[in-house]
Amino acid sequence: MVAQTRAGNSAPKRLAFNEKIVGKGLATDALLKKLKALHTELAELDQELVEVNSLSAVRTQLVNTSILLHKDRGVKAYAACCLADILRLYAPDAPYTHTELRDIFQFFFRQLSTGLRGAEASYYNEYFHLLESLSTVKSVVLVCDLPHAEELMVDIFRDFFGLVRRDLAKKIEIFIADILVALIDECQALPSEVLETIMAQFMANDTQPAYRLAVQVCNATADKLQRHVCQYFTDIIVAHSHESDSESNFEEIRKAHELVKQLSRSCPSLLHSVIPQLEEELRVEEVQVRLIATQALGEMFSEKGGAELVKKYPTTWNVWLMRKNDKTASVRLKLVESAKGLLVNLHDHREAVDELMRLKLLDPDEKVRAAVCKVYSQLDYETVLHYVSEDQLRSIAGRGMDKKNSVRVEALNSLGKLYSTAYPEIENNDPAAIRHFSWIPNEILHISNSTQEARLAAEQVIADFVFPLPSGSSASTSKNVDVNEVAWTDRLLNTMSYLDDRAVNAVLLLSGIKGSRPSPYELYLQSCVQHNGGVIDEDEDVVKQRLNNVIRHISRQFGDPQKAAEDLHAFARANENRSYKLLKTCLDTQTDLKGLVKASNDFLRRIESSSESILGTMTVFLRRATLRIVNQSSIPTLIKRVQRADSKHAQTLLTYISKHCPALYKPHTSELTKAIADEKNARLVEVGMQALAAVSQSDEALAVNDKRTLERVMRYVLGSNARVAKFAARILVASKEHDDLCAEAVESIARKLSTAEPNLLVAHTAVLAQFARLAPDAFERKSDVLMAFLVKKLLMVPSPADPDEIDSDADWVEDDDVQPRLRARILALKVCRNRCLAHASTDTALEVATPVLKMLSTLLDHAGSYSADATDDPKVKSRMRLQAAISLLHLSVVDKFATAINTNFISLAITVQDPCYNVRMEFLMKLFPLLTARKLPPRYNLIPFLTVHDPEADVKSRAISYVTHASRNISATAKVDLFEIIFIRLLHLLAHHPDFSNAHENLQEMAKYIDFYLDLIASSDNVSLLYHLAMKAKTVRDGQSHTYSENLYAMSELTQELIKARAQARSWSLQSYPGKVKLPSDILRALPNPEAATKILKTVYLPEETSAWLLESSKTQKPAGTSKEKRREPREPKDSKSPPKRKASRHRTNGTTKRAKTARWNSDQSESEEEPSSDDSEQDDREDTLTKPSSEREDRSSGQESDKEANEKKGEQNRKPSRQAGTRAKRKISKQVKKKGNHARKS
């Protein structure tokens, strides 16, 4: 025991106090006074200098029961102090028996627990003295030698941990800690109740005094407590693991592990023997135990001290990591959920953690995959930048295409949050931030273009994190809040600067700029207003039907169409005028950014308060219906940014707005007028002219009529910049004095056309194309002179290949490389086409159109030339036949022209099988918008089905995408008219196909067309109709010749067998079609008599070999999903250089070999994104804007038509390639490829 000494006189001192403190009749006050005097004297005595014999009298009296059990608190407080001093002075030997000592210590702790409170309490100094004495003298260790010391120790620990909660002075906490540490150090065996009392403190809040006291005690006695703590946890686990089915038992085990985690944070040295025990728990069979241990260790490794823990227990770390392969998903999930702390704190173990996360991104359980993605969303910018690799982030992006929605949502949210936190650094051009994060929007936008399910999640992330509306929270509470429109627009442009063409297209699509006006969302709002909550005054059925139709159309685009439809109906029934007004403000194209932000927030807050269940649907509705990425507030900033050198995307946005939503320019026409005056900035002038042209055409009130501006526009009309001149011509047409101005321009062009240099010729021809369509009266004043020049001096002039050109076999020329002469020829065809369209409603329509239709058909028949023996440049021919086909498509919009074109429909249709990839793809891209808008006759819907043999996956996938989207989004009646009744026309077209023959191998190829059609269109509902149409084909004859009739009959038999086999494989009921079908009389004729009909029905036109093949195929065919389910997404564009070109020739088969190709601006946009053009001028813009990236070509060698077939076929058929052309072309191409490969190796 430590003795207290003082320097001074070495002579022993005797206690001077000699009064009695025990006896009858002693008043409390007198006793208190005596004890106070005794305490004062005892406190002054030094242990080394006291004569202990003098203490005997008071020593004995102090333990008298009359003192220890006295009623007065003061008496007991002073008595306790005196006894503490007696023990100090007698140390190291106590002058009391064990029983007396027990009573004394119980007396001590009873006084402290009941009396020691705040400093203001009575006798505080005495209690403080007592506690200090016990702490410094360590007399308390005498407890350990007493009988039944365990019970006393339990009481002491329990009382002290209760005492410390009174928020006493810090020094008192230190005294108590010293006392408890001394007891633990001196005791022979630590009572389990004492350990439980200590451990219980760790489950409290770590800011509590009891928690701090427990930490101090444990850290001071760690060496002695380690074994006891380990045994403590062992006892808990053993005691509660026998009844493994009891949740309460697992709860106790879970609490024990929570305690381990707390100890790991504050007293890690206690766990020296516990950590290996947790390691063993990771290996047990009981899932709940493994789960609890995995979670506990994961959280411990994730703490700030986790690195030290890993270093100290490497085996435990490795065993814990192996839980990534645990057979139970919940265990793997707990492992992953710990990863945030690992990534933040275990920098030295980054590789192991990265490997764990990379592996678990591919875990078979969706919850695990989602948890991995969620971890990264919780990390801060610096951690991700320095400790998460770009490859890892890209792996997370890959989960954006996961089959499970929860995984997609978490992956995309993680990417979005990371980009949002990194954007300020990207905006500041931080190279590290740009390298690490700038690609994220590109990936999210690609995902938004993939599937309907992924699109929903991607749209939300784009709206929340990539292109968020500014200052949403503040704008919702203040009418005069300012939003930074410039920063908002610059964020869009800055983000777009890191996007590829496919992602840029996705941004344009999501912007809501493109689409018909009024939009479906505006029509919905109008229908809601008319519906009036169900109280309808007139035309009730019409109003309800209109509302149902528009809701059906909108809800198809939601992840859960049924829920969306119910919510949209609920909103209509609510009939809240205030909500209607707010929604109308949001949908209005003239609403600025600040108004949009406020109206959107007010609308959603109103929905949340009135109908919270529909909030999700209306949020998506609002996001898609509003211009939240670009709106009229963006225009001034975009115009300013166009003037910069890096203005590509500002120009792209303004061009897109000009084409699809020129109404956004209404408040900004003065700025556009200023823009076109800046003649030094050609890019700004072009953008401004296009915008002015668009807004002038969309609203007569906004047309340019200022004299000075019109003079400038006239100069542009007569200038040599073709695009600027074209837009200037449209501005002139929209002006009030358009008659005189257009006539003046036409007169001037007519005089200069024959002598114009090449670029000026292109510009003049572009202007004439506009005037021919928009100002026909002015054009017709000089039409004789103009048309004569265009046809005779431009179109009919041969264009032989350049003998000095290195790549003379190329069949396509890139847009940027098109020579002015060819550009002018293409525009001349547009002049012819537009002139026909301008006269479409006049009596002279066919008179004007007939020579044009003949010319265009000739170009198709002769592969882009005007005669079969022409030696024109293959690149010129491909461009010319493409433009001829596109022109025929536009002319087919007019009924009288469509009838005239019908005789050449097959030649037009098989343009989609052109040997040149670019011709095929461009043709399809012009066809789809016209089909979507239903501007073309239904028979044109056959053309996509002719892509089945296309060697390029993206051509076929485009066709599939269009057919599936179109057929899904139309009514059942429209589907019959547009896709089902035309089936017999498909059989007729195949019977006339230049590759058709009755040979078995050829019929197998023809069967693929039928199967392709059936894959996309056939169902159990319409299979009877399709079979009926196939049978009806043998009850009529072809309108041209007997040969084609036999071809048609063979196709009829082939189709019937294919349909029967399909119906059998899919268990479809093939019943007789109950209705009547009128066959197309323009291609089919009735049979002359019943005898002929009977003969035809009895005759089998299929070869026996084909019949046997069909029979065998029907036996082996198994039910399978349609190609709609198996189709591949369009490939991503490749930015590689063009390989050597191969020779192309003009024949119509699809035996074309594969070839690499570079990116096209819209080559990855799915057909679901295609929407109809609002006017012909937009089509003109796309056709003559030759600014698309280049593509490599595929070429075909031509086979000669055999003499036998040339004798069999007459007239028009003689000009078509033979049925053997495809086979011979394949052989020639293979030889050419080998030759060029050998040549390349030699060089």
Side-chain angles (χ1 to χ4, degrees):
M1 185 179 298
V2 179
Q4 302 294 312
T5 62
R6 277 197 313 267
N9 190 359
S10 59
K13 282 190 175 184
R14 292 181 58 84
L15 180 67
F17 184 87
N18 57 5
E19 297 183 41
K20 288 189 177 182
I21 56 176
V22 176
K24 292 183 178 180
L26 191 61
T28 299
D29 290 342
L31 177 60
L32 188 61
K33 184 176 180 181
K34 291 181 180 181
L35 287 174
K36 188 174 182 180
L38 177 60
H39 164 57
T40 302
E41 187 175 354
L42 289 174
E44 293 294 329
L45 294 176
D46 190 298
Q47 179 186 7
E48 299 294 330
L49 301 178
V50 66
E51 186 176 328
V52 292
N53 292 332
S54 65
L55 306 176
S56 300
V58 295
R59 169 181 64 81
T60 304
Q61 294 179 72
L62 284 171
V63 294
N64 191 284
T65 55
S66 64
I67 297 293
L68 296 181
L69 300 179
H70 202 283
K71 294 180 180 181
D72 186 77
R73 288 179 56 197
V75 169
K76 290 187 284 189
Y78 278 107
C81 290
C82 293
L83 284 170
D85 288 332
I86 293 293
L87 291 176
R88 173 176 63 83
L89 295 173
Y90 272 95
D93 299 320
Y96 297 109
T97 64
H98 283 174
T99 302
E100 290 173 333
L101 282 173
R102 181 179 180 86
D103 292 340
I104 290 171
F105 282 114
Q106 286 179 338
F107 175 67
F108 282 167
F109 295 115
R110 190 162 57 246
Q111 299 314 302
L112 290 172
S113 62
T114 58
L116 184 59
R117 300 191 182 276
E120 303 300 325
S122 56
Y123 306 108
Y124 175 80
N125 291 332
E126 285 66 39
Y127 294 131
F128 186 90
H129 176 83
L130 171 62
L131 197 62
E132 181 181 23
S133 178
L134 292 173
S135 169
T136 55
V137 179
K138 299 294 189 296
S139 57
V140 73
V141 299
L142 295 171
V143 169
C144 299
D145 298 329
L146 299 177
H148 308 292
E150 293 84 359
E151 296 176 7
L152 189 54
M153 282 185 65
V154 169
D155 291 339
I156 293 171
F157 273 81
R158 191 173 293 144
D159 290 344
F160 270 180
F161 277 112
L163 180 65
V164 81
R165 288 188 174 87
R166 297 176 185 173
D167 198 20
L168 303 172
K170 189 70 178 177
K171 212 165 187 179
I172 291 179
E173 284 187 32
I174 296 173
F175 293 157
I176 292 175
D178 289 343
I179 294 169
L180 298 183
V181 168
L183 284 172
I184 293 174
D185 284 340
E186 290 297 323
C187 71
Q188 297 298 317
L190 186 69
S192 59
E193 291 90 342
V194 169
L195 188 61
E196 288 175 4
T197 300
I198 297 174
M199 294 295 101
Q201 312 312 313
F202 286 94
M203 303 306 292
N205 190 312
D206 58 8
T207 61
Q208 295 294 326
Y211 178 89
R212 294 197 301 267
L213 176 61
V215 170
Q216 290 181 55
V217 171
C218 289
N219 282 328
T221 59
D223 291 342
K224 188 162 186 177
L225 288 182
Q226 281 179 4
R227 178 174 57 84
H228 296 285
V229 171
C230 180
Q231 186 62 45
Y232 172 78
F233 287 110
T234 302
D235 292 344
I236 291 177
I237 293 170
V238 170
H240 296 284
S241 60
H242 295 305
E243 301 177 16
S244 57
D245 292 335
S246 172
E247 182 59 33
S248 61
N249 285 313
F250 287 129
E251 186 60 32
E252 291 300 319
I253 296 175
R254 195 171 289 111
K255 288 180 180 178
H257 286 76
E258 286 293 326
L259 180 56
V260 172
K261 289 186 290 185
Q262 289 288 355
L263 291 175
S264 177
R265 296 187 190 105
S266 53
C267 311
S269 54
L270 279 183
L271 302 178
H272 181 72
S273 301
V274 176
I275 301 297
Q277 184 176 341
L278 296 183
E279 178 184 325
E280 290 303 315
E281 290 180 7
L282 295 174
R283 298 187 174 100
V284 301
E285 282 297 318
E286 177 53 55
V287 174
Q288 284 295 330
V289 174
R290 284 204 318 278
L291 187 67
I292 295 169
T294 302
Q295 180 180 2
L297 280 171
E299 293 181 18
M300 290 159 64
F301 288 136
S302 299
E303 298 285 348
K304 289 184 178 180
E308 187 63 30
L309 198 63
V310 172
K311 184 178 179 179
K312 193 173 181 180
Y313 305 99
T315 306
T316 305
W317 164 251
N318 290 327
V319 173
W320 182 80
L321 283 178
M322 289 308 295
R323 288 305 93 210
K324 65 188 177 185
N325 299 322
D326 197 286
K327 61 185 178 181
T328 304
S330 57
V331 176
R332 303 195 301 272
L333 180 62
K334 290 299 180 184
L335 187 82
V336 165
E337 288 174 347
S338 308
K340 177 191 172 184
L342 304 181
L343 290 167
V344 173
N345 297 314
L346 298 189
H347 299 156
D348 294 339
H349 302 274
R350 172 182 168 185
E351 291 184 4
V353 178
D354 281 353
E355 178 60 27
L356 162 68
M357 301 300 276
R358 193 176 298 112
L359 179 66
K360 292 299 97 185
L361 273 175
L362 303 175
D363 194 274
D365 189 89
E366 65 176 287
K367 292 181 181 177
V368 177
R369 300 196 302 274
V372 175
C373 298
K374 187 174 183 179
V375 164
Y376 289 93
S377 71
Q378 299 167 344
L379 299 177
D380 61 90
Y381 166 76
E382 292 294 337
T383 298
V384 177
L385 180 65
H386 298 295
Y387 302 110
V388 179
S389 68
E390 182 184 337
D391 288 342
Q392 190 75 343
L393 294 180
R394 289 188 180 274
S395 297
I396 297 169
R399 290 300 92 210
M401 292 290 292
D402 200 280
K403 293 181 179 179
K404 299 296 184 179
N405 183 63
S406 60
V407 184
R408 290 195 301 267
V409 169
E410 289 295 349
L412 292 171
N413 274 335
S414 291
L415 292 177
K417 289 178 181 178
L418 293 176
Y419 180 77
S420 183
T421 57
Y423 178 75
E425 302 303 322
I426 296 174
E427 188 179 31
N428 292 332
N429 293 317
D430 182 340
I434 291 171
R435 183 175 58 254
H436 216 65
F437 301 99
S438 64
W439 55 270
I440 289 176
N442 198 70
E443 291 300 315
I444 296 175
L445 288 161
H446 283 192
I447 291 169
S448 74
N449 257 354
S450 55
T451 64
Q452 176 72 14
E453 294 77 13
R455 181 186 176 193
L456 291 170
E459 279 183 0
Q460 184 68 51
V461 170
I462 291 167
D464 291 345
F465 303 113
V466 181
F467 302 127
L469 285 176
S471 304
S473 57
S474 58
S476 65
T477 58
S478 174
K479 293 182 179 180
N480 300 313
V481 116
D482 289 329
V483 295
N484 193 333
E485 297 171 347
V486 175
W488 176 65
T489 306
D490 280 340
R491 175 164 182 150
L492 170 63
L493 294 174
N494 196 24
T495 301
M496 289 180 70
S497 66
Y498 302 104
L499 303 181
D500 59 21
D501 289 343
R502 181 183 174 193
V504 168
N505 287 331
V507 171
L508 298 178
L509 179 71
L510 291 172
S511 69
I513 297 295
K514 186 176 182 180
S516 58
R517 293 286 189 274
S519 68
Y521 307 102
E522 291 171 307
L523 293 175
Y524 169 72
L525 179 57
Q526 293 173 12
S527 299
C528 288
V529 173
Q530 294 170 357
H531 185 260
N532 195 29
V535 182
I536 306 168
D537 295 333
E538 55 184 24
D539 298 329
E540 181 174 352
D541 293 339
V542 174
V543 171
K544 288 184 176 180
Q545 185 61 43
R546 187 182 298 121
L547 179 63
N548 291 337
N549 289 342
V550 71
I551 287 177
R552 188 182 309 113
H553 175 80
I554 293 174
S555 62
R556 287 195 187 107
Q557 306 303 320
F558 283 74
D560 186 349
Q562 182 177 353
K563 172 69 165 55
E566 292 173 356
D567 291 347
L568 292 173
H569 277 295
F571 178 77
R573 287 193 300 270
N575 195 33
E576 294 184 0
N577 289 329
R578 177 59 181 161
S579 296
Y580 290 164
K581 289 179 181 179
L582 289 170
L583 186 55
K584 184 178 181 180
T585 302
C586 294
L587 301 183
D588 188 357
T589 57
Q590 298 308 305
T591 300
D592 63 7
L593 179 60
K594 185 170 74 171
L596 175 62
V597 171
K598 186 177 188 315
S600 297
N601 286 317
D602 288 349
F603 175 77
L604 293 177
R605 190 167 59 249
R606 191 173 185 86
I607 293 297
E608 184 177 14
S609 62
S610 61
S611 307
E612 188 174 0
S613 61
I614 69 172
L615 180 62
T617 298
M618 297 312 295
T619 301
V620 175
F621 177 96
L622 191 66
R623 186 174 67 235
R624 292 180 173 177
T626 55
L627 302 181
R628 55 179 296 122
I629 294 178
V630 181
N631 69 15
Q632 63 107 334
S633 296
S634 311
I635 304 299
T637 305
L638 292 176
I639 292 175
K640 290 178 182 177
R641 300 298 179 259
V642 165
Q643 302 175 44
R644 294 181 178 177
D646 57 343
S647 62
K648 173 184 174 184
H649 295 295
Q651 185 175 359
T652 298
L653 289 168
L654 288 172
T655 300
Y656 196 74
I657 292 169
S658 298
K659 289 181 179 180
H660 302 294
C661 193
L664 295 184
Y665 291 126
K666 285 185 179 181
H668 309 289
T669 51
S670 60
E671 295 169 69
L672 296 175
T673 304
K674 292 178 184 177
I676 67 171
D678 188 2
E679 299 184 16
K680 294 180 181 179
N681 193 328
R683 185 187 297 108
L684 180 61
V685 170
E686 179 183 321
V687 170
M689 292 296 289
Q690 185 176 10
L692 268 181
V695 76
S696 297
Q697 288 182 307
S698 67
D699 189 344
E700 292 181 2
L702 298 175
V704 176
N705 293 304
D706 175 64
K707 183 177 180 181
R708 187 175 178 181
T709 304
L710 287 175
E711 289 174 356
R712 182 178 291 112
V713 170
M714 179 62 81
R715 290 200 301 273
Y716 287 135
V717 168
L718 301 177
S720 59
N721 186 317
R723 279 182 63 77
V724 173
K726 177 182 69 174
F727 299 135
R730 293 180 185 173
I731 293 174
L732 285 188
V733 170
S735 66
K736 289 181 180 179
E737 301 177 3
H738 62 88
D739 290 336
D740 295 337
L741 292 173
C742 293
E744 180 185 342
V746 170
E747 290 279 353
S748 178
I749 290 173
R751 288 195 305 270
K752 301 175 182 177
L753 198 58
S754 59
T755 59
E757 53 88 18
N759 286 327
L760 185 59
L761 176 62
V762 173
H764 284 346
T765 313
V767 170
L768 291 175
Q770 298 302 309
F771 287 155
R773 181 73 178 92
L774 303 174
D777 293 339
F779 182 86
E780 290 304 326
R781 293 183 185 184
K782 290 291 182 179
S783 62
D784 293 343
V785 176
L786 296 173
M787 294 305 298
F789 175 83
L790 294 176
V791 174
K792 295 178 181 178
K793 302 297 184 182
L794 193 56
L795 288 172
M796 303 301 291
V797 176
S799 301
D802 185 352
D804 297 328
E805 188 175 4
I806 298 175
D807 196 6
S808 59
D809 290 337
D811 67 345
W812 185 258
V813 59
E814 304 305 333
D815 294 337
D816 293 336
D817 299 330
V818 173
Q819 294 299 313
R821 190 78 182 176
L822 175 55
R823 197 186 298 263
R825 295 184 70 183
I826 293 171
L827 289 168
L829 289 178
K830 292 184 182 179
V831 174
C832 298
R833 178 191 80 193
N834 287 349
R835 185 166 178 250
C836 295
L837 292 172
H839 289 80
S841 59
T842 67
D843 296 336
T844 60
L846 286 177
E847 180 182 341
V848 173
T850 298
V852 175
L853 297 178
K854 183 177 180 181
M855 177 180 65
L856 297 175
S857 298
T858 301
L859 284 172
L860 288 185
D861 292 337
H862 297 305
S865 298
Y866 292 101
S867 62
D869 56 354
T871 58
D872 289 344
D873 187 339
K875 297 187 289 295
V876 174
K877 292 169 66 175
S878 62
R879 285 281 186 177
M880 293 297 288
R881 67 177 180 267
L882 171 62
Q883 188 57 47
I886 292 172
S887 296
L888 287 172
L889 286 179
H890 283 287
L891 291 171
S892 298
V893 170
V894 181
D895 291 341
K896 58 183 72 175
F897 296 159
T899 303
I901 294 170
N902 195 34
T903 56
N904 294 306
F905 174 72
I906 294 174
S907 298
L908 176 60
I910 58 179
T911 301
V912 81
Q913 297 180 337
D914 193 277
C916 177
Y917 162 81
N918 301 80
V919 173
R920 301 197 303 276
M921 182 58 84
E922 284 288 339
F923 179 71
L924 277 181
M925 298 315 296
K926 300 299 181 184
L927 172 69
F928 290 150
L930 295 172
L931 288 177
T932 304
R934 301 192 195 180
K935 294 183 177 182
L936 293 172
R939 59 178 172 272
Y940 284 78
N941 278 307
L942 294 175
I943 296 176
F945 299 107
L946 300 182
T947 62
V948 63
H949 293 298
D950 199 290
E952 298 294 342
D954 53 350
V955 175
K956 184 177 177 181
S957 66
R958 289 289 184 130
I960 292 173
S961 184
Y962 162 72
V963 173
T964 53
H965 180 264
S967 60
R968 185 177 64 241
N969 290 303
I970 57 178
S971 64
T973 304
K975 184 177 179 182
V976 172
D977 295 336
L978 297 177
F979 289 102
E980 296 174 7
I981 290 295
I982 63 170
F983 185 45
I984 196 165
R985 287 187 178 273
L986 177 62
L987 304 185
H988 175 268
L989 189 155
L990 296 176
H992 284 253
H993 196 284
D995 287 344
F996 184 90
S997 78
N998 212 34
H1000 171 63
E1001 293 78 7
N1002 183 272
L1003 288 172
Q1004 285 181 309
E1005 295 300 305
M1006 291 293 130
K1008 292 180 181 178
Y1009 289 102
I1010 304 302
D1011 278 331
F1012 186 46
Y1013 173 90
L1014 295 176
D1015 284 342
L1016 297 174
I1017 300 298
S1019 67
S1020 58
D1021 297 328
N1022 63 16
V1023 67
S1024 297
L1025 171 60
L1026 300 181
Y1027 187 74
H1028 178 74
L1029 290 170
M1031 289 195 301
K1032 294 288 284 185
K1034 284 193 72 173
T1035 65
V1036 292
R1037 61 184 176 87
D1038 188 86
Q1040 289 191 26
S1041 70
H1042 177 67
T1043 301
Y1044 287 133
S1045 293
E1046 292 189 351
N1047 293 352
L1048 180 62
Y1049 302 152
M1051 287 303 305
S1052 172
E1053 294 176 3
L1054 176 65
T1055 303
Q1056 290 179 58
E1057 294 302 322
L1058 291 173
I1059 292 176
K1060 285 194 291 186
R1062 181 175 293 261
Q1064 180 180 354
R1066 288 162 173 73
S1067 301
W1068 291 347
S1069 175
L1070 194 59
Q1071 300 176 351
S1072 298
Y1073 184 68
K1076 292 184 178 181
V1077 177
K1078 183 179 179 181
L1079 300 183
S1081 59
D1082 56 323
I1083 57 173
L1084 303 173
R1085 301 287 184 272
L1087 292 172
N1089 51 61
E1091 291 76 15
T1094 302
K1095 181 179 179 181
I1096 291 170
L1097 289 174
K1098 290 182 178 180
T1099 304
V1100 177
Y1101 292 88
L1102 284 179
E1104 291 185 5
E1105 186 178 1
T1106 304
S1107 299
W1109 170 72
L1110 287 169
L1111 181 62
E1112 185 64 27
S1113 298
S1114 66
K1115 292 179 180 179
T1116 58
Q1117 189 174 16
K1118 296 179 180 179
T1122 67
S1123 61
K1124 288 184 285 189
E1125 297 166 344
K1126 298 181 180 179
R1127 70 176 187 274
R1128 295 169 54 191
E1129 294 296 325
R1131 72 172 73 184
E1132 294 189 17
K1134 304 174 184 176
D1135 297 325
S1136 57
K1137 295 182 179 179
S1138 301
K1141 308 291 194 290
R1142 297 193 285 271
K1143 184 176 179 182
S1145 62
R1146 177 62 175 169
H1147 49 255
R1148 310 286 190 162
T1149 63
N1150 267 330
T1152 325
T1153 55
K1154 280 251 184 183
R1155 33 151 275 311
K1157 56 187 182 298
T1158 53
R1160 293 162 39 84
W1161 77 270
N1162 59 357
S1163 63
D1164 290 295
Q1165 220 174 332
S1166 68
E1167 173 55 29
S1168 61
E1169 301 157 17
E1170 295 294 337
E1171 294 191 26
S1173 169
S1174 58
D1175 54 31
D1176 292 331
S1177 63
E1178 178 193 329
Q1179 293 294 333
D1180 290 342
D1181 291 341
R1182 288 191 61 191
E1183 291 165 15
D1184 66 1
T1185 305
L1186 302 176
T1187 56
K1188 300 178 183 177
S1190 61
S1191 298
E1192 299 166 12
R1193 317 295 165 254
E1194 71 176 12
D1195 308 327
R1196 295 281 310 278
S1197 295
S1198 173
Q1200 300 297 322
E1201 189 173 19
S1202 67
D1203 292 338
K1204 178 179 178 180
E1205 288 183 89
N1207 292 331
E1208 289 177 351
K1209 298 185 178 180
K1210 307 293 183 183
E1212 181 178 312
Q1213 193 173 4
N1214 289 331
R1215 296 194 295 272
K1216 298 179 181 177
S1218 75
R1219 60 189 64 166
Q1220 301 299 326
T1223 305
R1224 287 200 296 274
K1226 289 180 182 178
R1227 290 199 296 267
K1228 286 191 177 183
I1229 288 175
S1230 298
K1231 291 179 181 178
Q1232 289 170 1
V1233 172
K1234 290 179 181 176
K1235 282 182 181 179
K1236 293 198 174 188
N1238 294 333
H1239 176 71
R1241 286 193 291 273
K1242 289 177 183 178
S1243 61

